[in-house]
Amino acid sequence: MTDLKNLALTASAVLLAVLILATLVRAVIGPRFTDRVIAVNMINTMAVAIIAILSVRLKQDFLVDVALVYALLSFLTVVVMTRLVLVRHWRKCRKTEPTDAKKEAAEHAE
């Protein structure tokens, strides 16, 4: 039974590693910045899953703590990246806003 369990854990870790590579391709190719953020988030989530699988496979409890800390760092990374996207969007909106106001003011002056 333990051989079957070890085989299943190893197979799932290998499958997740292959999926990480596929997601990495998406992160590089992704046409928009948000696609890249989501791909990086998925890579981090799968890495946490691999660490948890290794914890069970190697019977090392401390790896669960490592996975939890990595998950927290991953969450903070996504929050910071999302904040950067929002700030960039707000700045873009502010740049277009004054020109629209100037056009309206010019139209009302005529």
Side-chain angles (χ1 to χ4, degrees):
M1 187 64 178
T2 59
D3 290 336
L4 182 62
K5 181 177 112 176
N6 287 338
L7 180 66
L9 290 172
T10 304
S12 61
V14 168
L15 177 65
L16 282 171
V18 170
L19 291 174
I20 284 175
L21 291 175
T23 308
L24 183 64
V25 169
R26 186 60 181 167
V28 171
I29 293 174
R32 294 182 307 231
F33 186 74
T34 52
D35 293 333
R36 292 183 175 105
V37 170
I38 292 170
V40 168
N41 190 25
M42 283 300 302
I43 289 170
N44 289 334
T45 302
M46 288 186 275
V48 169
I50 287 175
I51 294 170
I53 289 169
L54 286 175
S55 173
V56 173
R57 173 86 165 79
L58 300 174
K59 298 176 184 165
Q60 298 292 326
D61 295 337
F62 74 91
L63 286 175
V64 175
D65 297 333
V66 172
L68 286 172
V69 170
Y70 189 76
L72 288 172
L73 289 174
S74 170
F75 172 73
L76 287 176
T77 302
V78 171
V79 168
V80 168
M81 291 173 78
T82 303
R83 177 74 177 163
L84 289 173
V85 169
L86 287 174
V87 167
R88 190 173 74 177
H89 178 71
W90 290 335
R91 286 182 182 166
K92 186 190 295 185
C93 288
R94 282 187 193 160
K95 285 181 182 177
T96 59
E97 190 175 291
T99 58
D100 293 339
K102 288 179 184 176
K103 286 180 184 177
E104 290 178 12
E107 289 174 2
H108 290 296
E110 293 176 358

